[in-house]
Amino acid sequence: MEQEYHVTVTLSVTTDDPATAAREAYDLLRFPRTRPTRFTVRYRQSGIDLEMKHPVELGTDNPLGRPDIRIEDGLVLCGHRGSEKTYYVEEVGQYGPLWVKNGHATCWSGDLEVDEVGDDPHVVCFGCGLESRLPPDFQWAGSYDPDS
């Protein structure tokens, strides 16, 4: 008989802002389908035994606050630094090149298992190493044709 278990993960993050601490902890938990959207922050003050709990809701729409990618001159650019060294990435270990087709960010599905798309597809810049968010109008292409 299956049983349900509740698992608590404790991470130590130093910051003055509970939402920033929650986002940093969220970013440290790099597992698909298991990233939490709610954190409980405990405040401890020296000389006081009392712990105050403060729930932080991150939501599910871009909870890491990634900037949107930029599309300029037919290129998919990093939302942080504007670098064109960007790749589509999923936390299930898939990645692929990006290009612009009809004004939308596009990725070739030939090397990817599109039916097994992860929960958090995003763009990684190999220039700065930071993540950007894919827009809702992201498209799959049936073939690799960056000149289309």
Side-chain angles (χ1 to χ4, degrees), residues 12-31:
S12 179
V13 177
T14 304
T15 182
D16 293 332
D17 177 39
T20 301
R23 284 190 181 89
E24 288 182 25
Y26 183 99
D27 195 30
L28 291 171
L29 299 170
R30 294 201 169 269
F31 304 105

Side-chain angles (χ1 to χ4, degrees), residues 80-98:
H80 294 273
R81 306 248 161 77
S83 170
E84 63 185 74
K85 299 177 185 177
T86 57
Y87 276 79
Y88 168 89
V89 176
E90 292 175 355
E91 295 184 356
V92 291
Q94 301 188 110
Y95 66 93
L98 289 159

Side-chain angles (χ1 to χ4, degrees), residues 36-92:
T37 57
R38 178 183 171 95
F39 290 83
T40 301
V41 180
R42 291 185 176 94
Y43 298 97
R44 291 187 179 168
Q45 297 177 351
S46 59
I48 300 175
D49 299 350
L50 192 59
E51 289 186 357
M52 298 180 298
K53 293 184 180 180
H54 176 70
V56 178
E57 299 285 345
L58 292 181
T60 55
D61 181 33
N62 199 22
L64 290 180
R66 298 177 180 120
D68 288 336
I69 59 165
R70 299 187 338 224
I71 295 178
E72 294 177 12
D73 299 325
L75 298 172
V76 177
L77 304 178
C78 167
H80 294 273
R81 306 248 161 77
S83 170
E84 63 185 74
K85 299 177 185 177
T86 57
Y87 276 79
Y88 168 89
V89 176
E90 292 175 355
E91 295 184 356
V92 291

